[in-house]
Amino acid sequence: MSAGPAPFCIRPRGVVRGAVLTLVFTGVLATAAATGALPRQERPGPERPAQAAPDGGTVDSAALSRAAAAAMADGKSGKKAAEEFVSRSGDRWGAVYDKKEYEEFEQALGGTYTGVGLSAGRAGADGVRVTRVRPGGPAERAGLRAGDRLVSVDGRAVDGLSVSEVVALLRGDGVPGSSVALRVERGRAAWTQTLRRARLTTDPVTVRRLDDGAVLIRVTAFTKGAGTRVRDAVRAAPAGAGVLLDLRGNAGGLVAEAAVAASAFLDGGLVATYDVAGEERAVYAEGGGDTGRPLVALIDGGTMSAAELLTGALQDRGRAVTVGSRTFGKGSVQMPSALPDGSVAELTVGHYRTPAGHAVDGRGITPDLTADAGAEERARTVLSGLGGAS
């Protein structure tokens, strides 16, 4: 999948600049994507079959294509055969999508999606609960709130379903204006609410001035344009004001956008390296970033993939103090592969490393200062100590 022209290059070492980044670092957006609160800019992989290897294998795309073609020749589903092939391969992040699903995926990368505008997560014995409601979306207009329990979608109970199945039910045909009936419980009250799906836009970057003069930049996903918005926010920040970069809960997105965000704080240089078919490649930042402004990055267990790539670059290069908890540990690289029936497989082709050579996959990134409860307050204290308050 092309990420579009990018103001940095990704290339084997020694190759001239100018290449366009075409890969996506896949992460787990199951909770948010399930209800359309965030675009599925990274294909979720938590529901891979149990036989997937814990360290994440890789798939031979040519062999996968042959398996799909053979199934089609026998009158079977090429997509289903490809899914079975991927599940047996040990590629825990690999996934296969039909043409329509992939088109929706690409639209989501651009910051638009069809949904009802709410996030949900599992809460143990309490089942599936609404965790966030998007302002102005269908769910908010219908009066749904965070904490409501989601019992069923279009009459089908959700408690026994995988996250991927809940995603499919809530997205339905993906057509704006189509209806979906949600059975909801709130305390002792229970009712069925019919919502109409809408075409919504995301706002993955929010910026606000803190009381002490510092600037808080929160990035929830690296969809198209997110990196430029981070860079613009840094350039617009008052002279001397520190930046608190909040990457908590950021499940990643396009590496191109994470590299642009890195360019806001670095004067060129290495952001990450990765291997594809035994060939080492590298992601570089653009020159001219603000290297003097105090910077603290907030991270947690929901910081994944491209967000970890950015975190690793800022930490290894001594550009930011990181505060929070260990990141998720999603450091594998996926690239799309077209199949004979028009479906697309996103397959793991390698793993990336931070500028200092640290592997991220399965390990995560440990913050410089550990803080769970009160992490933001701790981060603001650290930023003030660096001279970031005005």
Side-chain angles (χ1 to χ4, degrees):
M1 175 187 306
S2 175
F8 65 93
C9 48
I10 177 167
R11 62 195 189 280
R13 290 188 176 178
V15 178
V16 297
R17 291 180 178 269
V20 176
L21 183 65
T22 59
L23 58 85
V24 175
F25 282 43
T26 304
V28 182
L29 282 184
T31 299
T35 51
L38 287 178
R40 294 168 68 190
Q41 77 275 16
E42 297 189 299
R43 284 316 215 177
E47 304 304 324
R48 299 310 316 160
Q51 63 264 37
D55 59 350
T58 58
V59 179
D60 183 332
S61 59
L64 177 65
S65 184
R66 289 194 297 270
M72 293 171 63
D74 290 339
K76 300 177 182 178
S77 168
K79 178 177 181 287
K80 184 175 181 180
E83 289 173 335
E84 292 174 350
F85 188 100
V86 171
S87 70
R88 291 194 302 267
S89 72
D91 184 352
R92 62 172 175 155
W93 301 109
V96 182
Y97 305 94
D98 63 31
K99 185 176 180 179
K100 181 180 178 182
E101 289 173 332
Y102 209 72
E103 287 174 351
E104 292 176 354
F105 177 23
E106 290 181 310
Q107 289 176 355
L109 284 167
T112 63
Y113 64 97
T114 298
V116 297
L118 61 83
S119 298
R122 295 196 176 277
D126 291 334
V128 179
R129 288 193 177 273
V130 176
T131 58
R132 185 167 66 88
V133 177
R134 183 187 187 279
E140 185 192 53
R141 293 196 298 269
L144 297 185
R145 306 174 189 169
D148 289 345
R149 182 170 180 261
L150 184 61
V151 179
S152 66
V153 178
D154 283 338
R156 186 172 180 184
V158 300
D159 280 355
L161 301 182
S162 69
V163 173
S164 295
E165 289 170 321
V166 176
V167 168
L169 288 176
L170 285 161
R171 286 185 173 270
D173 54 13
V175 176
S178 60
S179 62
V180 57
L182 307 183
R183 183 66 178 174
V184 180
E185 291 181 356
R186 181 185 300 162
R188 295 183 178 181
W191 71 98
T192 297
Q193 185 77 52
T194 299
L195 306 178
R196 291 197 176 275
R197 300 179 179 94
R199 177 64 69 181
L200 303 171
T201 58
T202 62
D203 188 12
V205 181
T206 55
V207 183
R208 65 184 176 93
R209 192 81 180 270
L210 300 177
D211 293 340
D212 59 7
V215 176
L216 172 65
I217 304 176
R218 175 162 172 74
V219 189
T220 58
F222 284 108
T223 51
K224 291 178 182 178
T228 298
R229 290 189 59 188
V230 171
R231 188 170 58 188
D232 290 347
V234 174
R235 290 174 176 173
V243 170
L244 180 57
L245 182 64
D246 191 349
L247 300 175
R248 292 175 297 177
N250 185 322
L254 291 167
V255 173
E257 299 300 334
V260 173
S263 299
F265 305 104
L266 301 171
D267 187 14
L270 187 63
V271 173
T273 60
Y274 66 99
D275 294 321
V276 175
E279 181 180 46
E280 186 176 75
R281 305 186 184 188
V283 179
Y284 293 88
E286 276 276 286
D290 188 332
T291 60
R293 189 183 299 275
L295 175 64
V296 172
L298 263 170
I299 57 176
D300 65 6
T303 305
M304 300 171 59
S305 194
E308 290 178 285
L309 177 144
L310 173 58
T311 301
L314 297 177
Q315 186 184 62
D316 279 6
R317 296 184 57 182
R319 182 60 189 90
V321 176
T322 53
V323 177
S325 53
R326 183 186 293 272
T327 61
F328 182 85
K330 168 64 179 63
S332 57
V333 182
Q334 280 69 42
M335 286 187 178
S337 178
L339 298 177
D341 62 354
S343 57
V344 178
E346 291 223 352
L347 308 175
T348 299
V349 296
H351 296 82
Y352 77 82
R353 296 173 296 280
T354 68
H358 301 303
V360 175
D361 203 56
R363 302 179 183 182
I365 295 173
T366 301
D368 299 311
L369 295 173
T370 300
D372 293 317
E376 183 172 333
E377 183 179 352
R378 179 77 182 277
R380 292 176 64 169
T381 300
V382 171
L383 186 60
S384 177
L386 295 174
S390 62

